[in-house]
């Protein structure tokens, strides 16, 4: 007996596409302007929303602060490591 797998691709909702674009734009902003924040806040989480940076001890709080100030935006949240050493992942 062979079961068939049917995959259906539906167009994304316009609201989802807009939210994803705002999230991506906030991430790109952090990539371009984040160096001073990375040096200033090691061990913290930063959220970027509409070009404004919010810093907190955990990701949920950083996102909450950004969403409170810019409720229509989709914040990008990133952890800033305490040190800039190379990381080795092994199994």
């Amino acid at each position: 007996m062979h079961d068939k797998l049917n995959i259906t691709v539906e167009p994304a909702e316009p609201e989802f596409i807009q939210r994803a674009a705002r999230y991506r734009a906030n991430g790109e902003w952090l990539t371009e302007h984040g160096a001073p924040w990375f040096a200033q806040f090691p061990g913290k989480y930063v959220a970027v929303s509409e070009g404004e940076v919010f810093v907190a001890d955990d990701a949920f709080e950083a996102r909450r602060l950004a969403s409170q100030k810019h409720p229509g935006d989709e914040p990008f949240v990133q952890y800033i490591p305490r040190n800039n050493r190379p990381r080795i992942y092994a199994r």
Side-chain angles (χ1 to χ4, degrees):
M1 174 179 213
H2 298 296
D3 293 327
K4 291 185 179 181
L5 175 65
N6 292 324
I7 299 175
T8 304
V9 178
E10 297 180 12
E13 296 289 325
E15 180 184 344
F16 174 79
I17 293 170
Q18 291 172 351
R19 289 178 62 202
R22 290 193 302 267
Y23 178 82
R24 187 178 325 109
N26 286 326
E28 289 171 357
W29 187 95
L30 184 60
T31 299
E32 294 172 12
H33 302 95
W37 302 104
F38 296 153
Q40 190 173 357
F41 297 106
K44 302 286 185 179
Y45 288 85
V46 295
V48 175
S49 183
E50 296 185 15
E52 191 170 355
V53 177
F54 302 86
V55 181
D57 290 328
D58 65 71
F60 297 108
E61 179 65 9
R63 182 175 176 79
R64 186 192 70 74
L65 291 170
S67 295
Q68 184 177 9
K69 180 83 183 271
H70 303 286
D73 198 27
E74 191 64 34
F76 182 88
V77 181
Q78 182 172 336
Y79 175 72
I80 302 173
R82 290 187 186 278
N83 53 41
N84 219 5
R85 297 182 190 157
R87 295 178 186 191
I88 300 172
Y89 299 93
R91 271 212 255 180

